[in-house]
């Protein structure tokens, strides 16, 4: 099977891209890295009459610290996240997760905004954005708006993006001297979709956790935030008893898929094991 015939435009600005979408009466799709869209076109899961290439719009690209936020332009590529000293300093959890994103060929083309827009529940960057309490800046003809990441993922491959809208940038609170973080995932082979993965981003007050964000991938229909586990850990020292309580809370926090190879209880068990490992790494980090 191959893609249907389509028209192609390469606008020079966000406004021009939005206008092209409107002129196509919605029968259009934005493309940047194309790592998800191109296979969908080939399978005719998507068949727009117009492709709008936004990859070279300068205002959608780049990394910068603006106030107390790290701004990541939507078309910033995965390998740039991986290699950025700015990300390593101000959003180190993203740096930890970046080597686990697929393979180098995909990291060279895939974009940060595209990853969030797809909202794959098995994807690393959307899940880490959730753990980091990111904010998504969305462009539309009605004007820009910002959506908290907790309100952005609505369901399986479903987001708060409306027809014609695009992600302009993602804003992430910068790390402080009190920040500790950890990421890991369990997969049959490196580069495969993880059986389960998780990221933890915590602010410490002495030896107590002042605030913590815990998010899991491959553990539900969307990236999943472990709210009950967070509530147990907030304000606490990490004792074995507290860690055990947080692990048990995942039975309620998560809604993992199951199949004949990886049943639900197995994924929950792996999630509990993974959370224990990551909390142990927080304690080991100076």
């Amino acid at each position: 099977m191959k893609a249907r015939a389509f028209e192609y435009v390469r606008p020079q600005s966000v406004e021009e891209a939005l206008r092209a979408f409107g002129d196509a009466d919605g029968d259009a799709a934005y493309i940047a890295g194309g790592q998800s869209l191109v296979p969908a076109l080939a399978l005719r899961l998507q068949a727009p009459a117009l492709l709008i290439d936004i990859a070279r719009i300068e205002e959608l690209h780049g990394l910068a610290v603006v106030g107390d936020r790290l701004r990541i332009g939507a078309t910033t590529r995965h390998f740039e996240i991986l290699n950025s000293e700015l990300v390593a300093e101000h959003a180190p959890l993203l740096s930890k997760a970046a080597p686990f994103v697929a393979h180098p060929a995909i990291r060279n083309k895939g974009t940060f905004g595209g990853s969030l827009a797809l909202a794959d529940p098995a994807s690393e960057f959307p899940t880490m954005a959730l753990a980091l309490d990111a904010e998504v800046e969305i462009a539309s003809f009605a004007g820009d708006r910002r959506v908290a990441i907790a309100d952005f993922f609505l369901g399986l491959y479903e987001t708060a993006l409306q027809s014609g809208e695009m992600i302009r940038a993602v804003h992430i609170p910068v790390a402080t001297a009190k920040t500790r973080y950890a990421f890991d995932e369990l997969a049959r082979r490196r580069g495969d979709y993880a059986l389960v993965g998780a990221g933890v981003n915590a602010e410490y007050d002495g030896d107590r956790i002042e605030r913590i964000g815990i998010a899991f991938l491959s553990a539900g229909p969307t990236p999943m935030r472990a709210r009950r586990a967070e509530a147990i850990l907030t304000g606490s020292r990490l004792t074995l008893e507290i860690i055990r309580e947080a692990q048990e809370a995942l039975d309620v926090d998560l809604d993992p898929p199951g199949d004949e190879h990886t049943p639900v209880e197995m994924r929950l068990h792996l999630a509990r094991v993974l959370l224990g490992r990551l909390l142990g790494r927080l304690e080991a980090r100076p």
Side-chain angles (χ1 to χ4, degrees):
M1 190 176 292
K2 62 181 181 179
R4 65 169 282 193
F6 53 81
E7 297 294 322
Y8 171 88
V9 295
R10 179 181 284 172
Q12 300 302 306
S13 69
V14 170
E15 290 69 26
E16 189 180 337
L18 294 171
R19 192 178 306 112
F21 196 103
D23 291 344
D25 294 325
D27 193 5
Y30 299 117
I31 185 168
Q35 297 307 288
S36 302
L37 180 59
V38 170
L41 293 174
L43 294 171
R44 298 210 178 185
L45 298 174
Q46 289 183 253
L50 175 68
L51 278 191
I52 304 169
D53 188 343
I54 61 173
R56 297 191 183 182
I57 299 178
E58 288 189 18
E59 62 192 286
L60 294 178
H61 186 263
L63 298 153
V65 175
V66 182
D68 62 350
R69 297 289 188 272
L70 174 66
R71 182 186 188 277
I72 303 177
T75 62
T76 303
R77 300 192 185 278
H78 299 333
F79 82 90
E80 295 176 274
I81 304 292
L82 174 63
N83 296 319
S84 170
E85 293 182 5
L86 206 63
V87 173
E89 179 181 356
H90 297 292
L93 183 60
L94 286 181
S95 292
K96 278 288 184 184
F100 292 84
V101 176
H103 301 280
I106 291 174
R107 292 197 292 268
N108 286 342
K109 295 292 290 182
T111 64
F112 193 77
S115 181
L116 267 66
L118 180 64
D120 187 339
S123 185
E124 289 82 4
F125 283 154
T127 306
M128 295 311 99
L130 183 61
L132 289 163
D133 289 317
E135 215 175 27
V136 183
E137 183 181 352
I138 297 171
S140 73
F141 270 126
D144 285 9
R145 63 190 177 100
R146 293 200 183 192
V147 176
I149 195 73
D151 300 320
F152 184 73
F153 302 118
L154 303 181
L156 185 62
Y157 300 114
E158 182 185 2
T159 72
L161 287 169
Q162 301 297 314
S163 177
E165 292 185 330
M166 70 170 72
I167 296 176
R168 186 187 291 273
V170 180
H171 302 264
I172 294 173
V174 299
T176 70
K178 300 191 298 182
T179 302
R180 302 186 192 183
Y181 55 90
F183 173 87
D184 207 350
E185 63 182 42
L186 303 173
R188 292 186 174 91
R189 295 179 303 178
R190 184 66 174 265
D192 284 0
Y193 280 113
L195 299 173
V196 69
V200 179
N201 194 73
E203 299 290 321
Y204 269 69
D205 181 10
D207 61 352
R208 291 182 182 272
I209 293 174
E210 188 174 56
R211 191 204 66 80
I212 189 166
I214 305 171
F216 281 84
L217 56 100
S218 297
T222 66
M224 301 293 287
R225 187 79 179 253
R227 299 288 185 183
R228 287 172 178 80
E230 291 174 3
I232 291 166
L233 294 164
T234 300
S236 300
R237 296 187 181 92
L238 282 184
T239 64
L240 288 176
E241 182 180 354
I242 288 293
I243 291 174
R244 197 172 299 116
E245 285 184 35
Q247 289 173 309
E248 291 172 356
L250 296 182
D251 290 1
V252 179
D253 280 329
L254 306 182
D255 183 21
D259 55 45
E260 59 181 323
H261 302 293
T262 315
V264 169
E265 183 49 47
M266 178 180 175
R267 286 192 196 268
L268 284 172
H269 171 72
L270 293 176
R272 290 190 289 265
V273 170
L274 197 53
L275 180 60
R277 289 182 185 178
L278 297 182
L279 294 177
R281 291 178 193 174
L282 292 190
E283 287 296 282
R285 186 175 296 278

